[in-house]
Amino acid sequence: MSNTATPTRALPNPIKGPGLTNAGVILIQFLLILLIETFEYSISKVGIITGLAIIISVAGGIYLGREGTSFAAVVNPPIAFFVSTLILIATVGGAGLHVARFGLDLVTSLGAGAPYLVLATLCGWGYYFWNKRSLSSGA
């Protein structure tokens, strides 16, 4: 009977080379959030699926980005969510230029995504500051 443990394998990085640049991280996060939010917005309103896309975009941006892109990976998802919500309300949502309906849909959509934005942002900033502290201490 052998008493050897199987080694744990890390997930292979799908990006060959050093990883995504800041622009790449921003673009991939924006497209992921826009795609998922468009899918969910066409069925109902913004909810848990878009929230999970926001959380995944933060984690994916940190994982796929180069060294030094974690700041962009944390800052971009709320901005990408806001811009994609503006685009979707004006097009898929059908609000057009009706200011009252546009404003109501905007507040409703941003409010529905707020808990996920807070969770993703807190975890992302926590990682960013932890990583920055460990790099500066030389550990």
Side-chain angles (χ1 to χ4, degrees):
M1 193 162 163
S2 175
N3 202 10
T4 60
T6 58
T8 58
R9 295 185 344 187
L11 291 174
N13 194 342
I15 306 294
K16 303 299 180 213
L20 296 174
T21 61
N22 283 329
V25 168
I26 290 170
L27 182 65
I28 200 95
Q29 285 179 331
F30 177 73
L31 291 177
L32 175 71
I33 292 171
L34 180 65
L35 178 70
I36 300 298
E37 189 178 6
T38 302
F39 171 73
E40 189 174 24
Y41 201 85
S42 63
I43 294 173
S44 64
K45 294 290 181 188
V46 175
I48 192 165
I49 298 172
T50 303
L52 291 175
I54 292 168
I55 293 170
I56 290 170
S57 72
V58 170
I62 290 171
Y63 179 69
L64 296 174
R66 290 182 181 182
E67 184 75 27
T69 59
S70 59
F71 181 78
V74 173
V75 170
N76 183 55
I79 298 167
F81 177 58
F82 178 71
V83 171
S84 65
T85 302
L86 288 176
I87 292 169
L88 290 175
I89 290 172
T91 57
V92 177
L97 295 176
H98 295 78
V99 177
R101 182 153 184 238
F102 188 86
L104 180 63
D105 285 349
L106 181 64
V107 169
T108 304
S109 297
L110 293 178
Y116 305 102
L117 281 171
V118 168
L119 178 66
T121 303
L122 286 177
C123 291
W125 279 113
Y127 172 80
Y128 173 75
F129 286 123
W130 180 267
N131 191 27
K132 188 174 181 178
R133 189 188 98 186
S134 64
L135 288 176
S136 67
S137 67

